[in-house]
Amino acid sequence: HVQLVESGGDSVQPGGSLRPHCATSGYTKCMAWFRQVTGREREAVASIAMDGSTSYIDSVKGRFTISRDIGDTTLYLRMTMLKAEDSAMYYCALAPRVALSNPLSASYYRIWGAGTQVTVS
């Protein structure tokens, strides 16, 4: 049973950068980062498929980069030019499929981490 553990969240000033990551305990397939602000719905941020193809929501395109290491044991989210509206709890998630028709849909993801907090202020 795969487990996901996020870390690397922090408090930074607007314009700053962070690189939270997600350690996995087993073989992974499609993975993604989601974020949630208290009182709001969880939203997708970025996803990466087994072939390395990526998807991003419009508000982070050009600022965030999702990647995974060669051994597929760690998922990263490089965050640059951070804005106050990026503040949220960030979660990594795993979908047990090689590819997804809508990789930013939470409905595909079956395993979730506990989250890491990112605060921009």
PDB file of all heavy atoms in Angstrom, residues 47-70:
ATOM      1  N   SER A  47      -0.327  18.240 -12.514  1.00  0.00           N
ATOM      2  CA  SER A  47      -0.278  16.785 -12.555  1.00  0.00           C
ATOM      3  C   SER A  47       0.845  16.338 -13.480  1.00  0.00           C
ATOM      4  O   SER A  47       1.294  17.084 -14.353  1.00  0.00           O
ATOM      5  CB  SER A  47      -1.602  16.206 -13.042  1.00  0.00           C
ATOM      6  OG  SER A  47      -1.795  16.518 -14.403  1.00  0.00           O
ATOM      7  N   ILE A  48       1.278  15.089 -13.272  1.00  0.00           N
ATOM      8  CA  ILE A  48       2.301  14.514 -14.126  1.00  0.00           C
ATOM      9  C   ILE A  48       1.972  13.041 -14.341  1.00  0.00           C
ATOM     10  O   ILE A  48       1.678  12.307 -13.401  1.00  0.00           O
ATOM     11  CB  ILE A  48       3.709  14.703 -13.522  1.00  0.00           C
ATOM     12  CG1 ILE A  48       4.785  14.190 -14.471  1.00  0.00           C
ATOM     13  CG2 ILE A  48       3.828  14.037 -12.150  1.00  0.00           C
ATOM     14  CD1 ILE A  48       6.186  14.661 -14.090  1.00  0.00           C
ATOM     15  N   ALA A  49       2.005  12.620 -15.607  1.00  0.00           N
ATOM     16  CA  ALA A  49       1.699  11.248 -15.954  1.00  0.00           C
ATOM     17  C   ALA A  49       2.971  10.418 -16.024  1.00  0.00           C
ATOM     18  O   ALA A  49       4.085  10.943 -15.913  1.00  0.00           O
ATOM     19  CB  ALA A  49       0.970  11.213 -17.293  1.00  0.00           C
ATOM     20  N   MET A  50       2.795   9.114 -16.233  1.00  0.00           N
ATOM     21  CA  MET A  50       3.947   8.229 -16.293  1.00  0.00           C
ATOM     22  C   MET A  50       4.889   8.572 -17.440  1.00  0.00           C
ATOM     23  O   MET A  50       6.099   8.354 -17.340  1.00  0.00           O
ATOM     24  CB  MET A  50       3.478   6.781 -16.423  1.00  0.00           C
ATOM     25  CG  MET A  50       3.007   6.175 -15.117  1.00  0.00           C
ATOM     26  SD  MET A  50       4.315   6.138 -13.876  1.00  0.00           S
ATOM     27  CE  MET A  50       5.464   5.012 -14.653  1.00  0.00           C
ATOM     28  N   ASP A  51       4.351   9.111 -18.533  1.00  0.00           N
ATOM     29  CA  ASP A  51       5.215   9.468 -19.668  1.00  0.00           C
ATOM     30  C   ASP A  51       5.854  10.841 -19.505  1.00  0.00           C
ATOM     31  O   ASP A  51       6.532  11.326 -20.415  1.00  0.00           O
ATOM     32  CB  ASP A  51       4.409   9.421 -20.978  1.00  0.00           C
ATOM     33  CG  ASP A  51       3.292  10.457 -21.019  1.00  0.00           C
ATOM     34  OD1 ASP A  51       3.121  11.218 -20.046  1.00  0.00           O
ATOM     35  OD2 ASP A  51       2.575  10.495 -22.031  1.00  0.00           O
ATOM     36  N   GLY A  52       5.614  11.485 -18.348  1.00  0.00           N
ATOM     37  CA  GLY A  52       6.215  12.784 -18.075  1.00  0.00           C
ATOM     38  C   GLY A  52       5.392  13.968 -18.528  1.00  0.00           C
ATOM     39  O   GLY A  52       5.780  15.119 -18.264  1.00  0.00           O
ATOM     40  N   SER A  53       4.276  13.723 -19.191  1.00  0.00           N
ATOM     41  CA  SER A  53       3.439  14.837 -19.631  1.00  0.00           C
ATOM     42  C   SER A  53       2.822  15.524 -18.408  1.00  0.00           C
ATOM     43  O   SER A  53       2.470  14.859 -17.428  1.00  0.00           O
ATOM     44  CB  SER A  53       2.337  14.354 -20.569  1.00  0.00           C
ATOM     45  OG  SER A  53       1.541  13.365 -19.966  1.00  0.00           O
ATOM     46  N   THR A  54       2.714  16.834 -18.472  1.00  0.00           N
ATOM     47  CA  THR A  54       2.246  17.625 -17.332  1.00  0.00           C
ATOM     48  C   THR A  54       1.041  18.479 -17.696  1.00  0.00           C
ATOM     49  O   THR A  54       0.818  18.805 -18.870  1.00  0.00           O
ATOM     50  CB  THR A  54       3.363  18.532 -16.811  1.00  0.00           C
ATOM     51  OG1 THR A  54       3.816  19.376 -17.881  1.00  0.00           O
ATOM     52  CG2 THR A  54       4.542  17.711 -16.298  1.00  0.00           C
ATOM     53  N   SER A  55       0.276  18.832 -16.674  1.00  0.00           N
ATOM     54  CA  SER A  55      -0.861  19.742 -16.817  1.00  0.00           C
ATOM     55  C   SER A  55      -0.847  20.710 -15.658  1.00  0.00           C
ATOM     56  O   SER A  55      -0.450  20.339 -14.549  1.00  0.00           O
ATOM     57  CB  SER A  55      -2.185  18.961 -16.816  1.00  0.00           C
ATOM     58  OG  SER A  55      -2.255  18.049 -17.886  1.00  0.00           O
ATOM     59  N   TYR A  56      -1.281  21.941 -15.906  1.00  0.00           N
ATOM     60  CA  TYR A  56      -1.296  22.976 -14.872  1.00  0.00           C
ATOM     61  C   TYR A  56      -2.594  23.773 -14.960  1.00  0.00           C
ATOM     62  O   TYR A  56      -3.162  23.954 -16.041  1.00  0.00           O
ATOM     63  CB  TYR A  56      -0.133  23.951 -15.058  1.00  0.00           C
ATOM     64  CG  TYR A  56       1.233  23.336 -14.955  1.00  0.00           C
ATOM     65  CD1 TYR A  56       1.881  22.839 -16.085  1.00  0.00           C
ATOM     66  CD2 TYR A  56       1.889  23.266 -13.727  1.00  0.00           C
ATOM     67  CE1 TYR A  56       3.141  22.270 -15.994  1.00  0.00           C
ATOM     68  CE2 TYR A  56       3.153  22.701 -13.627  1.00  0.00           C
ATOM     69  CZ  TYR A  56       3.771  22.208 -14.762  1.00  0.00           C
ATOM     70  OH  TYR A  56       5.031  21.649 -14.663  1.00  0.00           O
ATOM     71  N   ILE A  57      -3.025  24.290 -13.833  1.00  0.00           N
ATOM     72  CA  ILE A  57      -4.117  25.248 -13.877  1.00  0.00           C
ATOM     73  C   ILE A  57      -3.536  26.575 -14.367  1.00  0.00           C
ATOM     74  O   ILE A  57      -2.341  26.849 -14.233  1.00  0.00           O
ATOM     75  CB  ILE A  57      -4.793  25.421 -12.505  1.00  0.00           C
ATOM     76  CG1 ILE A  57      -3.784  25.820 -11.419  1.00  0.00           C
ATOM     77  CG2 ILE A  57      -5.526  24.155 -12.130  1.00  0.00           C
ATOM     78  CD1 ILE A  57      -4.422  26.193 -10.102  1.00  0.00           C
ATOM     79  N   ASP A  58      -4.400  27.392 -14.953  1.00  0.00           N
ATOM     80  CA  ASP A  58      -3.932  28.617 -15.604  1.00  0.00           C
ATOM     81  C   ASP A  58      -3.199  29.552 -14.641  1.00  0.00           C
ATOM     82  O   ASP A  58      -2.222  30.200 -15.022  1.00  0.00           O
ATOM     83  CB  ASP A  58      -5.116  29.358 -16.225  1.00  0.00           C
ATOM     84  CG  ASP A  58      -5.642  28.661 -17.463  1.00  0.00           C
ATOM     85  OD1 ASP A  58      -4.943  27.786 -18.014  1.00  0.00           O
ATOM     86  OD2 ASP A  58      -6.776  28.982 -17.884  1.00  0.00           O
ATOM     87  N   SER A  59      -3.650  29.614 -13.405  1.00  0.00           N
ATOM     88  CA  SER A  59      -3.081  30.598 -12.477  1.00  0.00           C
ATOM     89  C   SER A  59      -1.645  30.296 -12.074  1.00  0.00           C
ATOM     90  O   SER A  59      -0.973  31.172 -11.521  1.00  0.00           O
ATOM     91  CB  SER A  59      -3.955  30.703 -11.228  1.00  0.00           C
ATOM     92  OG  SER A  59      -3.995  29.469 -10.537  1.00  0.00           O
ATOM     93  N   VAL A  60      -1.143  29.099 -12.341  1.00  0.00           N
ATOM     94  CA  VAL A  60       0.232  28.771 -11.957  1.00  0.00           C
ATOM     95  C   VAL A  60       1.134  28.522 -13.156  1.00  0.00           C
ATOM     96  O   VAL A  60       2.341  28.321 -12.989  1.00  0.00           O
ATOM     97  CB  VAL A  60       0.283  27.551 -11.013  1.00  0.00           C
ATOM     98  CG1 VAL A  60      -0.629  27.762  -9.802  1.00  0.00           C
ATOM     99  CG2 VAL A  60      -0.029  26.251 -11.730  1.00  0.00           C
ATOM    100  N   LYS A  61       0.585  28.541 -14.351  1.00  0.00           N
ATOM    101  CA  LYS A  61       1.399  28.301 -15.548  1.00  0.00           C
ATOM    102  C   LYS A  61       2.498  29.346 -15.652  1.00  0.00           C
ATOM    103  O   LYS A  61       2.269  30.538 -15.480  1.00  0.00           O
ATOM    104  CB  LYS A  61       0.526  28.346 -16.808  1.00  0.00           C
ATOM    105  CG  LYS A  61      -0.349  27.126 -16.981  1.00  0.00           C
ATOM    106  CD  LYS A  61      -1.187  27.227 -18.248  1.00  0.00           C
ATOM    107  CE  LYS A  61      -2.060  25.977 -18.410  1.00  0.00           C
ATOM    108  NZ  LYS A  61      -2.947  26.076 -19.603  1.00  0.00           N
ATOM    109  N   GLY A  62       3.706  28.876 -15.927  1.00  0.00           N
ATOM    110  CA  GLY A  62       4.843  29.764 -16.021  1.00  0.00           C
ATOM    111  C   GLY A  62       5.505  30.051 -14.681  1.00  0.00           C
ATOM    112  O   GLY A  62       6.592  30.628 -14.631  1.00  0.00           O
ATOM    113  N   ARG A  63       4.853  29.662 -13.583  1.00  0.00           N
ATOM    114  CA  ARG A  63       5.425  29.912 -12.250  1.00  0.00           C
ATOM    115  C   ARG A  63       5.740  28.611 -11.505  1.00  0.00           C
ATOM    116  O   ARG A  63       6.701  28.554 -10.745  1.00  0.00           O
ATOM    117  CB  ARG A  63       4.450  30.733 -11.410  1.00  0.00           C
ATOM    118  CG  ARG A  63       4.117  32.088 -11.994  1.00  0.00           C
ATOM    119  CD  ARG A  63       3.328  32.941 -10.999  1.00  0.00           C
ATOM    120  NE  ARG A  63       2.052  32.352 -10.628  1.00  0.00           N
ATOM    121  CZ  ARG A  63       1.710  32.054  -9.373  1.00  0.00           C
ATOM    122  NH1 ARG A  63       2.547  32.269  -8.375  1.00  0.00           N
ATOM    123  NH2 ARG A  63       0.514  31.535  -9.112  1.00  0.00           N
ATOM    124  N   PHE A  64       4.932  27.589 -11.700  1.00  0.00           N
ATOM    125  CA  PHE A  64       5.115  26.321 -11.001  1.00  0.00           C
ATOM    126  C   PHE A  64       5.570  25.246 -11.983  1.00  0.00           C
ATOM    127  O   PHE A  64       5.159  25.241 -13.154  1.00  0.00           O
ATOM    128  CB  PHE A  64       3.805  25.855 -10.365  1.00  0.00           C
ATOM    129  CG  PHE A  64       3.333  26.668  -9.194  1.00  0.00           C
ATOM    130  CD1 PHE A  64       3.897  27.890  -8.857  1.00  0.00           C
ATOM    131  CD2 PHE A  64       2.288  26.199  -8.406  1.00  0.00           C
ATOM    132  CE1 PHE A  64       3.450  28.636  -7.784  1.00  0.00           C
ATOM    133  CE2 PHE A  64       1.822  26.921  -7.321  1.00  0.00           C
ATOM    134  CZ  PHE A  64       2.404  28.140  -7.017  1.00  0.00           C
ATOM    135  N   THR A  65       6.374  24.311 -11.487  1.00  0.00           N
ATOM    136  CA  THR A  65       6.819  23.182 -12.285  1.00  0.00           C
ATOM    137  C   THR A  65       6.701  21.904 -11.464  1.00  0.00           C
ATOM    138  O   THR A  65       7.277  21.816 -10.377  1.00  0.00           O
ATOM    139  CB  THR A  65       8.270  23.344 -12.747  1.00  0.00           C
ATOM    140  OG1 THR A  65       8.416  24.572 -13.459  1.00  0.00           O
ATOM    141  CG2 THR A  65       8.678  22.186 -13.654  1.00  0.00           C
ATOM    142  N   ILE A  66       5.983  20.927 -11.986  1.00  0.00           N
ATOM    143  CA  ILE A  66       5.860  19.631 -11.326  1.00  0.00           C
ATOM    144  C   ILE A  66       6.869  18.677 -11.950  1.00  0.00           C
ATOM    145  O   ILE A  66       7.087  18.703 -13.172  1.00  0.00           O
ATOM    146  CB  ILE A  66       4.419  19.079 -11.445  1.00  0.00           C
ATOM    147  CG1 ILE A  66       4.239  17.830 -10.587  1.00  0.00           C
ATOM    148  CG2 ILE A  66       4.038  18.824 -12.895  1.00  0.00           C
ATOM    149  CD1 ILE A  66       2.786  17.358 -10.492  1.00  0.00           C
ATOM    150  N   SER A  67       7.495  17.855 -11.125  1.00  0.00           N
ATOM    151  CA  SER A  67       8.457  16.889 -11.635  1.00  0.00           C
ATOM    152  C   SER A  67       8.528  15.700 -10.681  1.00  0.00           C
ATOM    153  O   SER A  67       8.039  15.755  -9.550  1.00  0.00           O
ATOM    154  CB  SER A  67       9.841  17.534 -11.796  1.00  0.00           C
ATOM    155  OG  SER A  67      10.349  17.954 -10.546  1.00  0.00           O
ATOM    156  N   ARG A  68       9.164  14.625 -11.150  1.00  0.00           N
ATOM    157  CA  ARG A  68       9.341  13.450 -10.315  1.00  0.00           C
ATOM    158  C   ARG A  68      10.736  12.913 -10.558  1.00  0.00           C
ATOM    159  O   ARG A  68      11.283  13.073 -11.644  1.00  0.00           O
ATOM    160  CB  ARG A  68       8.263  12.407 -10.627  1.00  0.00           C
ATOM    161  CG  ARG A  68       8.275  11.893 -12.050  1.00  0.00           C
ATOM    162  CD  ARG A  68       6.926  11.336 -12.477  1.00  0.00           C
ATOM    163  NE  ARG A  68       6.446  10.264 -11.614  1.00  0.00           N
ATOM    164  CZ  ARG A  68       5.213   9.750 -11.711  1.00  0.00           C
ATOM    165  NH1 ARG A  68       4.360  10.214 -12.614  1.00  0.00           N
ATOM    166  NH2 ARG A  68       4.829   8.789 -10.892  1.00  0.00           N
ATOM    167  N   ASP A  69      11.336  12.280  -9.578  1.00  0.00           N
ATOM    168  CA  ASP A  69      12.688  11.787  -9.776  1.00  0.00           C
ATOM    169  C   ASP A  69      12.656  10.501 -10.600  1.00  0.00           C
ATOM    170  O   ASP A  69      11.605   9.898 -10.810  1.00  0.00           O
ATOM    171  CB  ASP A  69      13.404  11.600  -8.437  1.00  0.00           C
ATOM    172  CG  ASP A  69      12.793  10.506  -7.590  1.00  0.00           C
ATOM    173  OD1 ASP A  69      11.835   9.850  -8.021  1.00  0.00           O
ATOM    174  OD2 ASP A  69      13.290  10.316  -6.472  1.00  0.00           O
ATOM    175  N   ILE A  70      13.819  10.081 -11.054  1.00  0.00           N
ATOM    176  CA  ILE A  70      13.911   8.949 -11.977  1.00  0.00           C
ATOM    177  C   ILE A  70      13.358   7.678 -11.349  1.00  0.00           C
ATOM    178  O   ILE A  70      12.729   6.870 -12.009  1.00  0.00           O
ATOM    179  CB  ILE A  70      15.371   8.750 -12.433  1.00  0.00           C
ATOM    180  CG1 ILE A  70      15.823   9.965 -13.253  1.00  0.00           C
ATOM    181  CG2 ILE A  70      15.509   7.467 -13.260  1.00  0.00           C
ATOM    182  CD1 ILE A  70      17.276   9.921 -13.658  1.00  0.00           C
TER     183      ILE A  70
END
